Amino acid sequence: MDMTPATFDLEAHVERLTRDGYTIIPDFADAGQLAQARAALAPHMGTHHGRNDFEGLETERVYTLVARGKVFEDLTAEPRLLALLDRFLAPSYLLTASQAICIHPGEKAQAIHFDDGFYRQPRPRPAISLSIIGAIDEFTDTNGATDIIPGSHTWSDADIAALDPREAQAMLVPVIMPAGGAIVFQGTLLHRGGANRSTASRLAFTNQYCEPWARTQENFYLGVPRERVKAMSPRLQDLLGYNIWPPFMGQVTGSHPLKSLDDDWVAPVDRV
């Protein structure tokens, strides 16, 4: 059943994603969801600072976010977002990454990159993944808002290699949006986490979704406990890979992976 609100202009967002490589949903999360997100993240903050410049030495990340609270389950399978993804990815697409990112004051800007760059297919090409970054804190031009290069999703490998760093710097546009807003963008769009030149931290969540044939960044089969997966919605189970991509990709010893969630499931290799 289509749960997309009638007020959501899907075609306008699809057009922007196609033309510019990104679109912004200013009211993606409401005040209640933001409060729930903060509460769910509170026990995890301070436990994992970045280990390199890309993760951010002054940045905290909470991985496997989809399993950290019901609010993150809801945001991961939000109907407007799924309606957009349905237009760009093949059926049974997967959740490939899910994390919270808190950029603290003093963090420098990330290197410019694109999210599906680890897939080896040459550019230009259709995106193999799409990403969402949701603002739990307001994104400003000084607190680490994501910087993007609009239109760069269509560039070739040669275009990117020939780009002068100073020219790239001049093309970057900060994504300014209120708390609760979200940017959805193609996995081929060049962007970076911005420098936090403010006196306050900037908290956000981000999910990435990939084609059903692509290997995911996070191994959710190991990262999300089976009992937790059993309690999730069928749509979220599908996003975590508990489905078949026809004719048989994702099978478990010749059976549908959902059977592995049954209470009496025993792996076939352990059956007498």
Side-chain angles (χ1 to χ4, degrees), residues 66-67 70 72-74 76-78 82 92-96 209 212 216 220-221 224-245 249-250 252 256-263:
V66 65
K70 181 62 166 59
F72 299 120
E73 296 181 26
D74 295 340
T76 297
E78 204 276 343
L82 296 185
S92 295
Y93 51 83
L94 300 169
L95 182 69
T96 175
Y209 304 78
T216 60
F220 292 113
Y221 301 116
V224 183
R226 177 171 167 269
E227 291 303 312
R228 196 160 300 178
V229 176
K230 287 171 61 176
M232 290 179 174
S233 69
R235 189 67 183 90
L236 200 52
Q237 292 171 347
D238 185 44
L239 287 169
L240 293 180
Y242 287 83
N243 204 346
I244 295 291
W245 191 55
M249 289 183 70
V252 178
H256 196 287
L258 276 177
K259 292 183 179 180
S260 70
L261 299 179
D262 292 343
D263 291 337

Side-chain angles (χ1 to χ4, degrees), residues 55-73:
E55 278 192 318
L57 299 176
E58 297 298 327
T59 296
E60 290 186 73
R61 292 175 184 261
V62 179
Y63 291 96
T64 321
L65 187 66
V66 65
R68 306 281 186 172
K70 181 62 166 59
V71 62
F72 299 120
E73 296 181 26

Side-chain angles (χ1 to χ4, degrees), residues 10 33 39 46 49 58 66 73 89 118 141 146 152 155 183 188 213 229 232:
L10 175 61
Q33 290 173 313
H49 276 71
E58 297 298 327
V66 65
E73 296 181 26
L89 299 173
F118 41 79
D141 60 359
T146 303
S152 59
W155 293 359
I183 177 173
T188 46
W213 48 262
V229 176
M232 290 179 174

Side-chain angles (χ1 to χ4, degrees), residues 129-248:
S129 70
L130 274 80
S131 301
I132 179 171
I133 299 175
I136 299 177
D137 291 323
E138 177 187 13
F139 277 30
T140 74
D141 60 359
T142 61
N143 75 348
T146 303
D147 296 323
I148 61 173
I149 301 181
S152 59
H153 62 302
T154 65
W155 293 359
S156 68
D157 290 325
D159 292 332
I160 295 172
L163 187 64
D164 182 274
R166 289 169 296 182
E167 293 178 352
Q169 187 76 25
M171 293 178 182
L172 289 166
V173 177
V175 178
I176 308 302
M177 58 185 176
I183 177 173
V184 182
F185 57 98
Q186 304 264 18
T188 46
L189 184 77
L190 270 65
H191 67 284
R192 69 179 187 182
N196 190 341
R197 304 183 302 278
S198 74
T199 59
S201 299
R202 188 231 71 183
L203 182 60
F205 69 89
T206 180
N207 287 329
Q208 297 177 29
Y209 304 78
C210 69
E211 293 285 11
W213 48 262
R215 180 165 184 168
T216 60
Q217 296 176 55
E218 288 197 61
N219 187 329
F220 292 113
Y221 301 116
L222 296 177
V224 183
R226 177 171 167 269
E227 291 303 312
R228 196 160 300 178
V229 176
K230 287 171 61 176
M232 290 179 174
S233 69
R235 189 67 183 90
L236 200 52
Q237 292 171 347
D238 185 44
L239 287 169
L240 293 180
Y242 287 83
N243 204 346
I244 295 291
W245 191 55
F248 46 69

